[in-house]
Amino acid sequence: MIGALGGHGDQRALDLGGTVLTYAELDAAIERSPQVAVCDASALPVLEALICIFAAARRGTAVIVEDPATRPERGKIDPSSVLLVATSGSSGRPRPLARTAASWFDSFPEFTTITGIETHDRVLITGPLHATMHLFGAVHALWRGACVTDDPTDATVVHAVPAVLRRVVLEAPRLRTAVVAGTMLDDGARSAASGIEIVEYYGAAELSIVAARRVPEAMRLLDSVDAEIRDGLLFVRSPYRVLGAAEWFGVGDRAILGSNGELTILGRGEFAINVGGTTVMAEDVERTLESMDGVRGAAVIGSPHSVLGETITAVIEHDDAVTLQAIRAQARALLAREAMPSRWIAIDELPRTGSGKVARGRVKELHS
């Protein structure tokens, strides 16, 4: 049944903010939830929001889970909608999305096989539910019968973007598995999570999960997902797409697709920087910078240049113990000449989306 819980009785379902609910208590709370045509869970605490979400899934009504600070304009709601969410806004303003409950729940069995999440796991969610990777992770955990928690000290599984994973592993001694998404896994995050099994998946808010892997294996398409490359860009056909999306959805990422479903993501097409005729992918430079000592986060953008077309600007969030001069010296040893930033900006904190991804559109707006 859509909206069914995977646990029962006295098994722990939620441990959030010091409040614990068993599966029996959670099920009763879902059944007691008032029935409304559209529930807005955007500003609710996570525990209450999850009750609204499962109630909507069971009843076939709609629930809104958006960032209250950056709500997209939303028109008429499709009657088959259950989840009303939005894109992350990492490259611009968030866009409204609507999906059926089945567009997520139907992918849960394969996601369970990929991640190995069990009913005894305590699944740590590291960001707000309006970031769809965290919403997906929490809903899947309750469908599976695991416990959703915000306490890292007792967590056995975590959902996190790579930048957040670096911090979480220091606070979560019992971690067995890290489920990573949002941005591509970098060497620094991989090294920080040494000894923990890492499951990395690639997806989009409009499509849900497209491909996944257990590191260090290759990324492969999900069984029910098709893909093709058109002029170097990835197009995906998925049963998990949002309502209104084209059957073949253009993700906007440059990619290589192998004959066996092996998928290699090269970077966001719109963030290719043309330096004197050489194409430099912003994500590649960012991953290199974030792997260096003292760098907590990096955003790379193109800046106009009268001769070269563009040059590279690096906006860096770093530890006080490491100077920007030292970071530049490390970069010179690791980056090709064309990829070496010519302009460096150090800031206290990079703007980020709710999931923890760098809000590159905002960085470009502020520093281009």
Side-chain angles (χ1 to χ4, degrees):
M1 180 183 81
I2 293 293
L5 298 171
H8 55 84
D10 292 336
Q11 184 182 350
R12 186 172 292 192
L14 299 173
D15 183 355
L16 299 166
T19 299
V20 174
L21 287 186
T22 66
Y23 269 94
E25 292 168 334
L26 175 58
D27 188 68
I30 292 169
E31 290 301 311
R32 289 195 308 267
S33 181
Q35 183 159 353
V36 293
V38 180
C39 172
D40 190 348
S42 303
L44 294 178
V46 172
L47 186 149
E48 295 177 26
L50 288 170
I51 291 171
C52 288
I53 290 161
F54 271 83
R58 290 183 183 184
R59 298 165 182 168
T61 56
V63 58
I64 302 172
V65 190
E66 299 172 342
D67 184 348
T70 56
R71 287 185 181 274
E73 292 186 9
R74 190 178 293 277
K76 185 178 179 181
I77 297 174
D78 189 305
S80 62
S81 301
V82 168
L83 287 167
L84 303 176
V85 292
T87 59
S88 67
S90 59
S91 59
R93 292 286 301 174
R95 299 189 307 279
L97 303 173
R99 60 170 60 250
T100 65
S103 69
W104 267 6
F105 280 83
D106 287 356
S107 70
F108 285 172
E110 187 169 3
F111 187 69
T112 301
T113 299
I114 293 166
T115 60
I117 293 174
E118 299 287 353
T119 57
H120 57 75
D121 276 313
R122 295 176 59 83
V123 180
L124 177 66
I125 305 300
T126 58
L129 296 185
H130 61 70
T132 54
M133 67 171 286
H134 301 306
L135 179 57
F136 182 93
V139 173
H140 169 265
L142 294 175
W143 173 90
R144 182 69 179 107
C147 175
V148 175
T149 185
D150 57 6
D151 179 7
T153 62
D154 202 30
T156 57
V157 176
V158 63
H159 289 262
V161 297
V164 173
L165 178 62
R166 295 182 187 211
R167 169 180 55 80
V168 166
V169 294
L170 302 175
E171 305 168 353
R174 297 186 59 207
L175 276 185
R176 182 189 80 252
T177 300
V179 183
V180 179
T183 57
M184 285 185 282
L185 184 67
D186 62 271
D187 290 340
R190 186 171 173 175
S191 176
S194 176
I196 298 170
E197 182 172 55
I198 301 176
V199 176
E200 181 183 19
Y201 71 84
Y202 167 78
E206 297 90 346
L207 296 169
S208 191
I209 299 176
V210 172
R213 67 171 180 149
R214 288 176 178 263
V215 176
E217 297 173 1
M219 187 83 72
R220 296 184 187 279
L221 296 173
L222 266 64
D223 291 341
S224 52
V225 173
D226 295 322
E228 60 183 38
I229 306 299
R230 304 177 187 174
D231 296 325
L233 295 176
L234 178 65
F235 283 76
V236 174
R237 181 170 62 185
S238 171
Y240 311 130
R241 66 185 183 274
V242 297
L243 292 166
E247 181 182 5
W248 283 96
F249 184 84
V251 183
D253 284 328
R254 298 171 64 249
I256 298 171
L257 181 63
S259 59
N260 59 353
E262 185 175 313
L263 183 66
T264 303
I265 302 298
L266 302 177
R268 195 75 176 173
E270 64 189 274
F271 294 121
I273 303 171
N274 190 333
V275 182
T278 299
T279 299
V280 177
M281 297 309 301
E283 291 94 334
D284 292 342
V285 181
E286 288 167 353
R287 282 197 298 276
T288 298
L289 296 177
E290 289 177 346
S291 71
M292 300 188 320
D293 293 339
V295 178
R296 295 196 302 264
V300 168
I301 57 176
S303 298
H305 190 276
S306 59
V307 176
L308 298 175
E310 289 182 288
T311 55
I312 294 173
T313 293
V315 184
I316 301 293
E317 178 185 320
H318 65 93
D319 296 335
D320 293 338
V322 181
T323 66
L324 192 59
Q325 182 178 4
I327 292 169
R328 292 176 65 177
Q330 290 183 71
R332 277 193 292 271
L334 297 173
L335 293 170
R337 180 173 58 86
E338 295 83 1
M340 181 68 185
S342 58
R343 180 179 173 223
W344 296 78
I345 301 171
I347 61 175
D348 293 334
E349 189 173 352
L350 285 163
R352 295 182 182 273
T353 67
S355 67
K357 293 190 293 183
V358 171
R360 196 198 306 266
R362 182 63 176 152
V363 174
K364 194 170 182 68
E365 183 181 302
L366 292 171
H367 299 291
S368 61

